[in-house]
Amino acid sequence: MSSSHPLLAALLDSWDRNNTILLNLLRIIPEGGLEVRAMKGSPSVAEMFTHIHYVRLVFVSEDAYEFARPMPEGEWKSERDPDLIAQMLNESAKAVRDAVKGRLEAGREMDLHYDHPILMLQHMIWHEGYHHGQIKLALKMAGLPLDNKVAGPGTWRVWMNKTK
Ligand code: NI
């Protein structure tokens, strides 16, 4: 399947939108929000973002090693700089994109997981949606809820609104 194939282009576009949504969420985290957690023992909001980054990179390294990038030192880093987190997420999103696109174009399977390379994209989108909800819940429980009017345009509309 070449990258000019409309189905592959649509799939990669869905992955790009997923990362856009995550970055949009990061951008509206209120002051002090990166440090909060849903309860004692749960990861903080910052740690969930860095975990997402780590998970992307670990699966790329295990399943399409030619697209692997240097791994961060820890999986759950309590990074406080949103710009740095955004940079990390853009890099790991590119790694996943390149891995899936590369294996599809080469007609090769993933090395360790997945019946089809596209399942890596689906897995990551599902995983990140799962943590997206947890991040919003942690903020709400800490008394820093995100208003739907603020969160909606950068999340659901990125999936649904027609752009052409
Ligand atoms: Ni997770």
Side-chain angles (χ1 to χ4, degrees), residues 25-36 45 139 143-146:
L25 176 66
L26 175 67
R27 293 299 177 201
I28 57 168
I29 302 291
E31 187 75 34
L34 283 173
E35 287 98 277
V36 307
V45 168
L139 291 168
L144 299 170
L146 294 177

Side-chain angles (χ1 to χ4, degrees), residues 47-122:
E47 287 167 346
M48 284 193 267
F49 279 110
T50 57
H51 160 71
I52 287 169
H53 170 68
Y54 182 94
V55 166
R56 290 171 175 181
L57 292 182
V58 85
F59 277 90
V60 170
S61 74
E62 289 175 352
D63 285 293
Y65 194 74
E66 68 278 24
F67 298 101
R69 297 180 180 220
M71 293 296 300
E73 273 169 36
E75 178 170 355
W76 305 88
K77 283 173 79 175
S78 43
E79 181 57 56
R80 292 288 180 271
D81 179 356
D83 290 336
L84 196 55
I85 297 175
Q87 193 187 322
M88 292 160 73
L89 291 170
N90 279 329
E91 284 170 16
S92 56
K94 176 87 167 52
V96 170
R97 189 185 214 285
D98 290 347
V100 172
K101 182 170 172 279
R103 286 293 170 114
L104 285 171
E105 287 177 346
R108 291 178 63 194
E109 293 184 3
M110 293 306 201
D111 295 335
L112 185 61
H113 310 95
Y114 309 121
D115 284 331
H116 192 283
I118 285 170
L119 290 177
M120 176 185 267
L121 279 191
Q122 308 301 318

